[in-house]
């Protein structure tokens, strides 16, 4: 069961965000007015105090101010939470001699020729890191393939396998912000997590059930697979 609870509501506007940015950068109403065509310091002050909202030249003004304060114009328009645009990762020229396989996820940079990194007291070179990543990807793929094949065999035999729930588990919670209609809602999401055992419930075609461990289910799957293969050969 998932529950949502709003713990904070913060109305925002072009003026409130402009005011925050100006305070952070320590610029005056007159300075901002000088950046914008057909704008006075009184107009800027009215925006900041909430007396008036921006109407004329909205797109143009937000673009100029966005460049000046180094924020996305959509942030000033109150259509997004993030200040800056999500920029795509810069492509590395082939002539630079770098490749994606030399990318180091631990610091977000590219490995140089003799780079190494220390993790939990153990030193890894960039080639060790590539090997570790490939081994992890191979293992994940093998597990996905096994799971897909296992369910495929059980589906053919009209058998279902579900994890055994032995009682209520813990409650996971997450807090995040949602922007809607000029209001930032701070939301707490709580979800009850069931506690599973290391066993599964097998439901047979006649509706009867039995409980088996993971190892036992793998053995059942293997015997069923062999049976299906032999029946297809006939």
């Amino acid at each position: 069961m998932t529950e949502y609870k709003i713990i904070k509501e913060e109305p925002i506007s072009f003026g409130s965000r402009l005011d925050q940015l100006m305070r952070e950068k320590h610029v005056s109403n007159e300075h901002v007015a000088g950046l914008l065509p057909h704008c006075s310091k009184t107009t800027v002050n009215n925006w900041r105090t909430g007396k008036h909202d921006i109407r004329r030249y909205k797109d143009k003004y937000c673009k100029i101010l966005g460049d000046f304060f180094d924020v996305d114009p959509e942030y000033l328009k109150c259509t997004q939470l993030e200040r800056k645009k999500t920029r795509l990762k810069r492509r590395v020229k082939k002539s630079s001699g770098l490749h994606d396989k030399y990318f180091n996820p631990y610091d977000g940079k590219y490995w140089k020729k003799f780079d190494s990194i220390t993790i939990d007291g153990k030193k890894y070179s960039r080639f060790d890191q590539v090997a570790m990543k490939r081994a992890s990807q191979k293992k994940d793929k093998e597990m996905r393939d096994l799971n897909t094949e296992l369910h495929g065999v059980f589906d053919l035999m009209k058998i279902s396998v579900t994890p055994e729930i032995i009682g209520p588990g813990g409650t996971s919670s997450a807090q995040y912000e949602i922007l809607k209609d000029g209001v930032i809602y701070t939301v707490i999401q709580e979800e009850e997590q069931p506690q599973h055992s290391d066993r599964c419930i097998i439901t047979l075609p006649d509706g009867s059930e039995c409980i088996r461990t993971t190892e036992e289910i793998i053995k059942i799957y293997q015997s069923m697979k062999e049976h299906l293969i032999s029946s297809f050969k006939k």
Side-chain angles (χ1 to χ4, degrees):
M1 182 178 179
T2 305
E3 292 185 358
Y4 301 90
K5 185 187 296 182
I6 297 174
I7 60 172
K8 184 180 177 183
E9 297 182 27
E10 180 189 355
I12 57 171
S13 64
F14 167 78
S16 65
R17 289 197 154 173
L18 175 63
D19 180 68
Q20 182 183 10
L21 292 170
M22 289 176 63
R23 290 177 185 275
E24 290 176 3
K25 202 161 184 174
H26 305 290
V27 293
S28 65
N29 294 339
E30 188 175 5
H31 187 106
V32 170
L35 299 172
L36 307 173
H38 316 294
C39 183
S40 67
K41 63 180 182 180
T42 303
T43 300
V44 175
N45 184 66
N46 288 340
W47 289 335
R48 298 177 66 184
T49 57
K51 190 173 181 180
H52 297 298
D53 196 7
I54 187 171
R55 294 184 181 87
R56 296 182 61 192
Y57 314 115
K58 184 173 183 178
D59 291 340
K60 186 175 183 179
Y61 282 2
C62 287
K63 174 65 172 63
I64 294 171
L65 293 172
D67 291 340
F68 178 72
F69 290 110
D70 193 24
V71 298
D72 192 320
E74 295 302 318
Y75 176 80
L76 283 164
K77 295 177 187 178
C78 302
T79 60
Q80 70 180 39
L81 289 168
E82 299 79 15
R83 286 195 175 194
K84 294 188 178 181
K85 288 182 180 179
T86 304
R87 294 180 173 83
L88 295 175
K89 192 185 298 179
R90 181 178 58 86
R91 292 186 177 180
V92 180
K93 295 181 180 179
K94 292 182 179 180
S95 59
S96 67
L98 298 175
H99 192 269
D100 283 346
K101 69 180 181 180
Y102 299 147
F103 182 71
N104 176 10
Y106 296 103
D107 61 7
K109 299 178 182 177
Y110 285 86
W111 296 93
K112 294 180 182 177
K113 188 173 181 181
F114 301 107
D115 267 356
S116 63
I117 190 169
T118 301
I119 306 170
D120 296 332
K122 187 174 181 181
K123 196 172 185 179
Y124 295 94
S125 72
R126 64 186 170 106
F127 298 107
D128 293 329
Q129 192 266 345
V130 171
M132 287 163 56
K133 183 178 179 182
R134 287 177 178 171
S136 176
Q137 289 174 340
K138 183 179 178 182
K139 184 178 179 181
D140 289 345
K141 184 178 184 303
E142 289 173 351
M143 292 302 295
R144 287 196 304 270
D145 291 346
L146 175 62
N147 187 57
T148 301
E149 189 175 348
L150 186 148
H151 282 283
V153 169
F154 282 144
D155 286 344
L156 283 172
M157 304 296 289
K158 296 183 178 179
I159 294 174
S160 65
V161 179
T162 55
E164 181 190 31
I165 300 175
I166 59 176
T171 301
S172 63
S173 62
Q175 181 174 316
Y176 52 90
E177 294 180 332
I178 298 174
L179 173 60
K180 184 178 180 181
D181 300 330
V183 179
I184 299 176
Y185 297 94
T186 303
V187 179
I188 288 183
Q189 175 184 336
E190 293 185 345
E191 187 169 358
E192 293 181 358
Q193 300 292 335
Q195 185 178 356
H196 297 90
S197 71
D198 60 349
R199 304 179 301 179
C200 289
I201 300 172
I202 300 177
T203 305
L204 301 174
D206 62 0
S208 60
E209 296 181 346
C210 60
I211 298 177
R212 295 290 185 271
T213 64
T214 305
E215 291 77 12
E216 290 172 332
I217 289 174
I218 294 295
K219 290 179 181 178
I220 294 171
Y221 146 72
Q222 289 172 341
S223 64
M224 285 184 172
K225 182 180 176 183
E226 291 172 2
H227 171 72
L228 286 171
I229 292 173
S230 61
S231 64
F232 286 144
K233 286 181 178 179
K234 292 178 183 179

